[in-house]
Amino acid sequence: MRVGEAIRLDRNEVCFDEGVLVVWKSKFAKSRELALHESTLGCTSCLRDASRRALPESGTPSFFVPRGGARLRLTALSRGPFAHLCQKIGLKARSERCRPTAA
């Protein structure tokens, strides 16, 4: 899943019963379904539940909601937790074109 697709992902686009999420009109205006691995589905449902508890009145339909309650922003990923996590686990780029990135 592309980072931009994750940022635009809304709660109603994740189907926990079927284990899929829907990406609407992404690259080249194409839509697709992505199957979620059982472990990813478990983590994703925990994230959903935690978000509901922390921000019950969030005004955004976004699936990924940071503490402020608005839709997640790309800058929060490129300079924040994503970059820190990549560094912490030692994730290295295979090449300049093939690297972990949030941008």
Side-chain angles (χ1 to χ4, degrees), residues 3 7 71-83 102-103:
V3 173
I7 289 172
R71 190 172 290 273
L72 188 63
R73 294 177 148 205
L74 182 60
T75 55
L77 294 175
S78 60
R79 291 185 218 138
F82 180 80

Side-chain angles (χ1 to χ4, degrees), residues 8 30 39 46 53 59 61 71-73 85 90-91 98-99:
R8 290 188 305 275
K30 293 186 178 186
S39 61
C46 287
R53 285 190 305 274
R71 190 172 290 273
L72 188 63
R73 294 177 148 205
L85 181 61
L91 194 56
C98 185
R99 67 189 189 283

